[in-house]
Amino acid sequence: GENVEQHPSTLSVQEGDSAVIKCTYSDSASNYFPWYKQELGKRPQLIIDIRSNVGEKKDQRIAVTLNKTAKHFSLHITETQPEDSAVYFCAASIGYGNKLVFGAGTILRVKS
Amino acid sequence: DTEVTQTPKHLVMGMTNKKSLKCEQHMGHRAMYWYKQKAKKPPELMFVYSYEKLSINESVPSRFSPECPNSSLLNLHLHALQPEDSALYLCASSQDKKTGILGEQYFGPGTRLTVT
C-alpha cells in the first residue's frame, strides 16, 4: 500500500544550526506534501506545504523541497531556536479522495 | 479563522459506557476527518466525510460510529470500547478534493480518551 518513510527519527542540533528532515513516498500520484509540527500535548500544526507543480517553497526560516522523480521531499529549518523543538510529521496525499499518509515523525531537539 | 474545536478535552469512560466526541469548524470546509493518535506515533486516519457523506472508513471497528449532522459538525460515537482504544482523538477539516485541489488539513486540539 501507500507509505511515507521519514528520517531521522530523532535529531539533535545546537541552537543556530540548521536541521533537515527527509521523507520518501511511494504513490506516484501524490501531489500534495504538508509538514506538521506537534508540540507536547498540542495539536499537529501545519507549518508549510508544497504541491507537485513546484520544487521549493520558503517561509522565513522554513523551506521545503520536492524531487518528484526521486519521490523525495525535505524540510529545512535554518537558524534553529529552542522553540523549534517538537515532533515533525511529513505527509503525502494519495491518488484518490481526501487522504493523507503520514510519516512516522521526527523528534527535533534544539539545544541552547 | 483556521480553528477547529473539539469537546470534551478529556474523557474517561468504562468499557460499558456510551459517549460521544464532538468537532466543529466554521471555515466552510466540506471534508472532515477523524484521526486516532497514540503517544509518539503519527495520526492514524479513521474516517473521512466528504460533503456530509462518509467517503473513507479505514476498517475501523464498529464500536466507533461517526456521524456528520451538517457541514460544520462531526461526531464520533463510542460504545463498548477497549482499554487499547485509549488515545488522543483528533478531528480535522479541509477543503474537499472535489473542488480540484486537496486543501490544507487543520486539526482540532483533540480529545484525550482513557478507557478503564
Side-chain angles (χ1 to χ4, degrees):
Chain A
E2 310 88 3
N3 73 299
V4 175
E5 293 190 3
Q6 183 172 346
H7 298 280
S9 56
T10 60
L11 178 59
S12 289
V13 299
Q14 205 65 35
E15 182 178 0
D17 288 351
S18 295
V20 180
I21 303 171
K22 299 182 179 182
C23 290
T24 60
Y25 61 97
S26 59
D27 186 355
S28 57
S30 295
N31 59 10
Y32 174 61
F33 308 91
W35 286 89
Y36 286 88
K37 173 185 180 182
Q38 189 173 26
E39 297 175 69
L40 191 63
K42 300 278 184 72
R43 75 185 80 190
Q45 179 186 2
L46 179 67
I47 56 171
I48 196 167
D49 56 14
I50 192 167
R51 298 187 186 272
S52 58
N53 56 345
V54 298
E56 183 176 2
K57 184 176 178 181
K58 279 187 178 180
D59 183 2
Q60 300 183 341
R61 297 186 297 110
I62 294 173
V64 57
T65 58
L66 172 65
N67 182 330
K68 282 196 68 182
T69 303
K71 295 183 186 171
H72 289 170
F73 59 112
S74 300
L75 177 71
H76 305 253
I77 305 174
T78 58
E79 300 172 24
T80 54
Q81 301 167 4
E83 51 265 37
D84 294 329
S85 297
V87 181
Y88 290 81
F89 294 103
C90 64
S93 64
I94 67 169
Y96 59 91
N98 298 302
K99 184 174 177 178
L100 294 177
V101 176
F102 283 81
T106 296
I107 300 172
L108 174 63
R109 297 191 184 94
V110 180
K111 297 174 286 187
S112 56
Chain B
D1 183 8
T2 57
E3 188 171 14
V4 178
T5 59
Q6 289 187 244
T7 56
K9 287 186 178 180
H10 302 276
L11 178 63
V12 179
M13 61 186 290
M15 290 189 282
T16 58
N17 291 159
K18 285 185 181 181
K19 296 287 184 183
S20 296
L21 310 184
K22 296 185 182 301
C23 173
E24 189 167 7
Q25 58 87 16
H26 294 288
M27 295 179 276
H29 289 164
R30 304 307 294 272
M32 295 186 76
Y33 311 77
W34 281 115
Y35 288 88
K36 172 182 178 180
Q37 188 178 30
K38 291 279 202 178
K40 301 183 181 180
K41 297 289 186 182
E44 179 185 337
L45 184 66
M46 300 174 72
F47 304 103
V48 181
Y49 273 83
S50 171
Y51 287 82
E52 296 90 71
K53 294 201 184 314
L54 184 65
S55 62
I56 297 176
N57 177 341
E58 293 286 276
S59 302
V60 178
S62 60
R63 57 186 184 267
F64 295 91
S65 176
E67 178 195 20
C68 190
N70 61 53
S71 60
S72 300
L73 294 174
L74 186 65
N75 298 323
L76 186 62
H77 303 297
L78 314 173
H79 173 56
L81 295 193
Q82 304 297 310
E84 58 264 30
D85 296 321
S86 298
L88 180 67
Y89 287 83
L90 293 161
C91 173
S93 72
S94 77
Q95 181 180 338
D96 195 287
K97 197 171 183 181
K98 284 182 183 177
T99 60
I101 300 174
L102 178 59
E104 298 87 350
Q105 284 191 27
Y106 296 98
F107 284 87
T111 294
R112 178 75 58 187
L113 174 67
T114 303
V115 182
T116 60

